Amino acid sequence: MIQIPPTFTGFLNFIRNNVGVPVDAISDDDETLRCVYEAALEWVPRDLGLECLPVIYRNTVYNLGTSFLLRYADDTPPSTYFADMREKLGIGRAAAGIMTSAADQGTSGSTVIGESMSNLSLADLMMMQDPYGEAALAVLMEMGSHWGMTP
């Protein structure tokens, strides 16, 4: 099996070429990049089988690192890239969960959602605010209760 482990250089390539984060928004040597990459490595579990799917494992790390980057990176003036992306994606707005039913005196309605969706943590809801976090969460949720989800 070909091993394609995540690397910091690969993460930089991902955010520049796949995500489109410009160099004037954050330089390659900014410690925030290393921090979000390392945080993603810590967050995505090892030794539970995901590393046996090397492309999926690597892309999950890169997507999660990108989600962290969009949420936490400071702009390098005069760039407003990260502030603009947070505004565009709604990152940082309160996310209390998914409504399943509503009613008043004369009417009511409900939506059935999967049990795994009703058990989302605040961190999970935060990841769902951008497409990179969603992609990572989709893979992590497949790992079931080993990762922390209770489906």
Side-chain angles (χ1 to χ4, degrees):
M1 167 177 18
I2 297 173
Q3 293 297 318
I4 310 171
T7 63
F8 182 69
T9 302
F11 177 64
L12 283 175
N13 182 56
F14 182 81
I15 65 160
R16 299 291 184 218
N17 299 316
N18 294 55
V19 180
V21 177
V23 175
D24 65 339
I26 191 166
S27 64
D28 288 353
D29 62 350
D30 190 302
E31 66 184 27
T32 301
L33 289 173
R34 179 67 68 174
C35 183
V36 297
Y37 170 71
E38 295 293 333
L41 283 174
E42 291 173 359
W43 196 278
V44 178
R46 294 182 189 185
D47 302 321
L48 293 179
L50 187 57
E51 66 280 357
C52 294
L53 304 169
V55 174
I56 293 171
Y57 175 70
R58 181 194 64 205
N59 288 339
T60 301
V61 169
Y62 292 172
N63 278 310
L64 187 55
T66 301
S67 181
F68 291 159
L69 181 67
L70 293 174
R71 179 169 293 280
Y72 299 115
D74 293 323
D75 283 307
T76 303
S79 174
T80 59
Y81 177 82
F82 293 110
D84 294 343
M85 288 300 291
R86 286 190 280 269
E87 179 65 28
K88 176 182 174 186
L89 296 171
I91 294 174
R93 293 188 188 134
I98 298 171
M99 180 173 285
T100 59
S101 65
D104 62 18
Q105 291 177 341
T107 62
S108 67
S110 65
T111 302
V112 176
I113 62 170
E115 193 172 328
S116 64
M117 292 294 286
S118 66
N119 291 326
L120 292 175
S121 69
L122 181 56
D124 301 330
L125 292 170
M126 289 169 61
M127 281 190 253
M128 290 181 66
Q129 290 184 320
D130 68 84
Y132 307 100
E134 282 181 347
L137 185 61
V139 172
L140 294 171
M141 286 178 75
E142 289 299 315
M143 298 182 74
S145 60
H146 294 291
W147 173 67
M149 297 301 300
T150 310

